[in-house]
Amino acid sequence: MYPDLNLFIAGEWRKTGSDMPVINPATEEELGRLPRASQSDLDDALSAAVQGFELWKHVSPRDRATTILRAAALMRERREEIATSITLEHGKPLKQARLEVTRGAEFLEWDAGEAMRTYGRIIPAARGHKFAVHHQPVGVVAAFSPWNFPMSQPARKIAGALASGCSVILKAAEETPAGALHIARAFQDAGLPPGVLNIVFGNPTEISGYVIPKDPVRLVAFTGSTSVGRHLTMLAAQHDTRVLMELGGHAPVIVCEDTDVRSAAVSGAIRKMRNTGQVCTSPTRFFTHESVFDAYAAAFVERAKGTVVGNGMDAGVEMGPTANDRRVPVLTDLVEDAVAKGATLGTGGRRPAGKGYFFQPTVLLNVPENARIMTAEPFGPVAVINPVTSLDHAIERANSVPYGLAGYAFTNRADYIDRLVDELEVGNLSINTLEASMPETPFGGVKSSGYGREGGTEGLDNYMTVKNVWHAVAIA
Ligand code: NAD
């Protein structure tokens, strides 16, 4: 059920002398041993990526798209197998893991199409002169993907890089390696030339510290916490290397007085618990108009309490454990701090007894602004619901954190929506839905949530350079 774990370098699967355990977070049992890349493995991956780039950048966009689409089709065919390994290593319910596999394939399919639309342009010039703008692949990409979406996160980075004609060295998350390895297998079976895609694991700090400064690396693409993103950005800057950063979020949800309160609350509670709250766009700070606060909070708490928590492999489970043993103490501290400062615990707040890194679906009400959870991203199944007196108050509170990834609002008032579009400091705003993005829409943050966009027609910009060509027909 769970694949053999290897590195993937120069089109070959590789084991190494040193390895580390991969743990099932629902049972705390070992699933397998993951090889750690040595410096010589990383050197091999770098050389392979250089050779891969030299070859792949000359492959026509249509042929690149064909290979990517073939890999996406294989991933769809293997959905059950891939989803099962994701649930085993990450803990999320199998139903959510299946959706993740589909989403990963969709990322590849969208970027495959975009590969054929990386148009340049002709700029009008004086007679005898031509100005032409060309988009060209940036080169070798060092990519780092996190553990919250073991398959769709690596798929997104691989899609952008390969569609643009770049080669990649991806360090996927050590806790959840199978998703990325399934992608590599699909690309190998789809006929991707060796070296275009390389996957390594090991000590994250050592790998990024070794690979990013190397000359062939032209772009660092990272998804993860703001603090690590900042560190990698500084490292890249020392070598004049570009970065694409998708970092943390602390999404506000503004619930206005005109909304259908019960439906908004139920959808909030369901969405908050999705992926056990381990989503950078997870709705977390619910600012609810004071006139509907009591009804909203009651319906939200009732639905959160009803969440079916358990092993993601079991039918009917809505929320699995957190993905690793680091989250539970962090979440416990944040809840205790909020309650000590005066918040009301609506439900949850603890790790249940027994095996697994579980944390109860948790709702905090009337949380004081000085509680740490109001500024620190919980990245877990914890919601904060606070009353606000007006839209001004809600927008001021929503914008009060350094993050600006996703923001949500529930209202049908055109004047409110107009103000939210203008004033909410986020990269993605959703009205009357808690979905944040699709493959065809650009995704990314403002402020400390990062820079650059993945998806949409903007997605390949990060992976390409712009070359302006001035051609004088005769020697001037
Ligand atoms: P973390 O910041 O240590 O790790 C996050 C990811 O970054 C992991 O996959 C890790 O392998 C990688 N990483 C860490 N240090 C690195 C380095 N020096 N070089 C390259 N990669 C490195 O924290 P964590 O405990 O794993 O997760 C906690 C926080 O990370 C969460 O609170 C959340 O804010 C953030 N996070 C965000 C996302 C996202 O989708 N934006 C995903 C996962 C984690």
Side-chain angles (χ1 to χ4, degrees):
M1 293 292 267
Y2 194 73
D4 188 30
L5 301 174
N6 295 286
L7 309 179
F8 184 66
I9 296 173
E12 289 178 356
W13 302 102
R14 189 182 283 199
K15 291 249 183 257
T16 60
S18 155
D19 61 17
M20 54 194 139
V22 176
I23 304 295
N24 179 335
T27 62
E28 300 182 38
E29 284 162 10
E30 187 174 307
L31 287 166
R33 307 283 306 181
L34 180 68
R36 283 175 217 264
S38 65
Q39 285 196 356
S40 114
D41 295 318
L42 297 177
D43 286 337
D44 290 348
L46 283 157
S47 318
V50 170
Q51 285 168 22
F53 176 57
E54 284 309 311
L55 194 151
W56 190 241
K57 70 180 177 185
H58 296 301
V59 172
S60 78
R62 180 171 291 283
D63 287 347
R64 291 204 296 258
T66 302
T67 305
I68 297 169
L69 291 173
R70 211 178 283 142
L74 287 169
M75 281 159 34
R76 284 182 184 277
E77 262 174 40
R78 298 169 185 173
R79 189 175 79 150
E80 212 50 35
E81 182 190 353
I82 303 176
T84 303
S85 28
I86 291 175
T87 293
L88 289 172
E89 67 184 10
H90 179 277
K92 68 183 71 184
L94 199 51
K95 198 170 156 192
Q96 291 179 26
R98 289 188 189 114
L99 288 173
E100 184 183 337
V101 178
T102 302
R103 179 52 67 97
E106 287 171 356
F107 286 148
L108 290 168
E109 289 156 1
W110 172 260
D111 279 347
E114 285 299 287
M116 292 182 281
R117 290 188 281 271
T118 55
Y119 309 127
R121 69 186 191 278
I122 302 291
I123 297 172
R127 174 182 276 191
H129 295 267
K130 302 282 179 211
F131 297 150
V133 177
H134 295 251
H135 292 162
Q136 298 179 329
V138 66
V140 174
V141 177
F144 301 87
S145 60
W147 44 262
N148 54 338
F149 290 98
M151 197 266 178
S152 64
Q153 291 274 16
R156 192 153 221 185
K157 302 215 172 330
I158 292 167
L162 267 52
S164 307
C166 299
S167 61
V168 197
I169 301 170
L170 172 79
K171 189 204 79 61
E174 285 69 24
E175 290 117 326
T176 56
L181 293 175
H182 277 296
I183 300 175
R185 186 158 68 88
F187 271 103
Q188 190 182 37
D189 295 345
L192 186 75
V196 180
L197 170 62
N198 305 277
I199 298 190
V200 297
F201 301 98
N203 178 310
T205 308
E206 284 173 18
I207 293 184
S208 54
Y210 189 75
V211 170
I212 292 173
K214 290 285 184 282
D215 183 51
V217 173
R218 291 282 176 271
L219 172 71
V220 176
F222 172 76
T223 297
S225 62
T226 297
S227 56
V228 174
R230 206 172 275 150
H231 164 71
L232 297 186
T233 300
M234 288 194 289
L235 189 56
Q238 285 166 15
H239 303 275
D240 308 311
T241 302
R242 286 160 59 164
V243 296
L244 164 61
M245 292 283 148
E246 300 290 0
L247 307 177
H250 203 329
V253 183
I254 296 178
V255 181
C256 300
E257 63 277 18
D258 67 297
T259 197
D260 170 351
V261 174
R262 191 172 168 79
S263 302
V266 168
S267 92
I270 292 172
R271 197 69 183 178
K272 174 71 247 182
M273 305 313 160
R274 177 180 154 251
N275 218 38
T276 320
Q278 302 162 123
V279 188
C280 48
T281 58
S282 185
T284 296
R285 296 174 299 139
F286 294 78
F287 297 113
T288 308
H289 192 269
E290 57 189 3
S291 63
V292 296
F293 175 79
D294 289 343
Y296 185 86
F300 194 114
V301 168
E302 182 195 331
R303 182 61 186 87
K305 266 186 187 160
T307 309
V308 182
V309 181
N311 187 324
M313 294 300 292
D314 296 340
V317 164
E318 293 177 301
M319 189 180 100
T322 63
N324 53 57
D325 57 0
R326 294 190 298 284
R327 294 309 317 147
V328 173
V330 173
L331 294 168
T332 308
D333 277 0
L334 286 173
V335 172
E336 284 176 0
D337 170 73
V339 172
K341 286 177 177 150
T344 304
L345 187 60
T347 186
R350 285 189 305 108
R351 176 184 186 158
K355 284 269 181 204
Y357 311 134
F358 289 93
F359 197 79
Q360 295 171 327
T362 299
V363 184
L364 291 163
L365 307 169
N366 289 302
V367 183
E369 284 306 325
N370 66 345
R372 276 192 290 118
I373 197 163
M374 295 311 289
T375 44
E377 181 186 19
F379 220 67
V382 183
V384 166
I385 309 180
N386 277 2
V388 284
T389 53
S390 63
L391 186 65
D392 279 329
H393 187 198
I395 293 175
E396 182 266 316
R397 289 289 85 219
N399 289 342
S400 69
V401 294
Y403 296 112
L405 192 57
Y408 309 92
F410 285 82
T411 181
N412 288 311
R413 278 187 55 168
D415 57 334
Y416 281 6
I417 294 170
D418 194 47
R419 285 200 53 201
L420 289 161
V421 171
D422 277 356
E423 296 174 39
L424 217 57
E425 294 168 355
V426 293
N428 289 74
L429 169 63
S430 304
I431 313 280
N432 295 331
T433 172
L434 294 167
E435 296 280 350
S437 73
M438 292 291 285
E440 60 270 34
T441 59
F443 178 72
V446 298
K447 297 168 39 181
S448 295
S449 291
Y451 19 86
R453 292 292 178 269
E454 295 186 299
T457 55
E458 290 84 352
L460 301 194
D461 292 351
N462 308 284
Y463 296 93
M464 307 206 84
T465 56
V466 172
K467 183 178 281 175
N468 181 55
V469 177
W470 179 338
H471 176 193
V473 177
I475 297 174

